Amino acid sequence: AQKITQTQPGMFVQEKEAVTLDCTYDTSDPSYGLFWYKQPSSGEMIFLIYQGSYDQQNATEGRYSLNFQKARKSANLVISASQLGDSAMYFCAMREPSGGYNKLIFGAGTRLAVHP
Amino acid sequence: GAGVSQSPSNKVTEKGKDVELRCDPISGHTALYWYRQSLGQGLEFLIYFQGNSAPDKSGLPSDRFSAERTGGSVSTLTIQRTQQEDSAVYLCASSLAYADTQYFGPGTRLTVL
């Protein structure tokens, strides 16, 4: 079974609007971490936001917020006020103890296009 | 401060040749990771270093792949007798300590002809 599922291969959004990128995960560990990374066309993976499984509140970092629904095993990324520079691939990733906690398991990614 | 750096940024080689890819982690980061990103397989973990030792090599796809880390800093990923299926982007990441957030370098794009 897929550990991390990103069901949207591509998304587009108008500049200045909000967009939600979906991510569901599968783990039986009670302690795990969820990450979102951005990969622009230059290729570098840029860390955006982290959510721990025991965190009581949804993580936020500037225009990025994580809609964490533990019972549904989803960790959707919300980008508010989209900018042209947000056009990139976005990857959801998980770290779990049974995987050694030292490796990230990535989803297939979602390509976001921001239109002016 | 300086991020993770990797060299070369691009490498084209012929099938059967050996290649070495280099990673310089963020200064002070004790943990270092190698991943591979290919069209067919997505992003895959290869190996993890804590200091100079590699407690997890579970992602190395074959014995043609090896890696070392010296001085708790620079790491080299070596691929011997390259095959066309080795063509991919090889990404290096580092973290301050085990289980901390991983920060990635720009990657090395390897093309095996």
Side-chain angles (χ1 to χ4, degrees):
Chain A
Q2 293 272 359
K3 287 278 191 178
I4 297 286
T5 303
Q6 295 181 253
T7 57
Q8 308 151 313
M11 290 279 287
F12 71 88
V13 65
Q14 290 293 125
E15 195 178 7
K16 300 179 186 174
E17 293 188 348
V19 63
T20 298
L21 307 183
D22 294 342
C23 172
T24 57
Y25 58 92
D26 181 28
T27 182
S28 55
D29 288 319
S31 175
Y32 52 89
L34 297 158
F35 300 79
W36 278 91
Y37 285 86
K38 170 184 178 182
Q39 188 176 42
S41 55
S42 59
E44 186 165 353
M45 298 281 284
I46 301 167
F47 166 70
L48 295 179
I49 196 166
Y50 166 78
Q51 180 84 44
S53 60
Y54 292 122
D55 292 344
Q56 295 295 313
Q57 294 189 325
N58 287 346
T60 61
E61 286 287 348
R63 294 186 299 111
Y64 304 107
S65 60
L66 204 151
N67 184 1
F68 181 46
Q69 299 188 38
K70 196 169 181 176
R72 300 173 76 173
K73 293 190 175 179
S74 74
N76 298 338
L77 177 70
V78 181
I79 305 174
S80 63
S82 297
Q83 302 173 355
L84 296 178
D86 294 335
S87 295
M89 282 289 287
Y90 288 81
F91 292 94
C92 180
M94 178 173 67
R95 183 183 64 203
E96 55 178 357
S98 61
Y101 245 159
N102 53 304
K103 69 182 75 160
L104 292 175
I105 303 164
F106 286 88
T110 295
R111 183 171 298 279
L112 176 67
V114 181
H115 295 175
Chain B
V4 178
S5 61
Q6 293 185 245
S7 60
S9 55
N10 279 285
K11 177 72 176 179
V12 179
T13 190
E14 294 178 348
K15 178 181 171 181
K17 301 275 191 185
D18 297 352
V19 295
E20 285 189 352
L21 312 180
R22 177 186 167 109
C23 172
D24 277 278
I26 294 171
S27 178
H29 279 198
T30 63
L32 186 146
Y33 316 78
W34 284 97
Y35 292 83
R36 179 168 72 171
Q37 185 174 25
S38 58
L39 280 176
Q41 303 296 322
L43 273 150
E44 308 171 278
F45 167 83
L46 297 178
I47 187 170
Y48 152 67
F49 285 92
Q50 181 59 50
N52 291 337
S53 64
D56 189 350
K57 307 178 184 179
S58 62
L60 294 178
S62 75
D63 58 9
R64 295 186 295 105
F65 287 72
S66 63
E68 65 174 12
R69 189 179 184 196
T70 55
S73 181
V74 171
S75 176
T76 303
L77 177 68
T78 300
I79 309 173
Q80 295 179 312
R81 303 180 304 281
T82 52
Q83 304 293 312
Q84 288 182 332
E85 61 263 28
D86 299 335
S87 295
V89 176
Y90 289 81
L91 291 162
C92 177
S94 69
S95 64
L96 187 60
Y98 170 77
D100 282 335
T101 296
Q102 297 179 25
Y103 296 91
F104 284 78
T108 293
R109 180 174 297 277
L110 175 66
T111 304
V112 182
L113 301 177

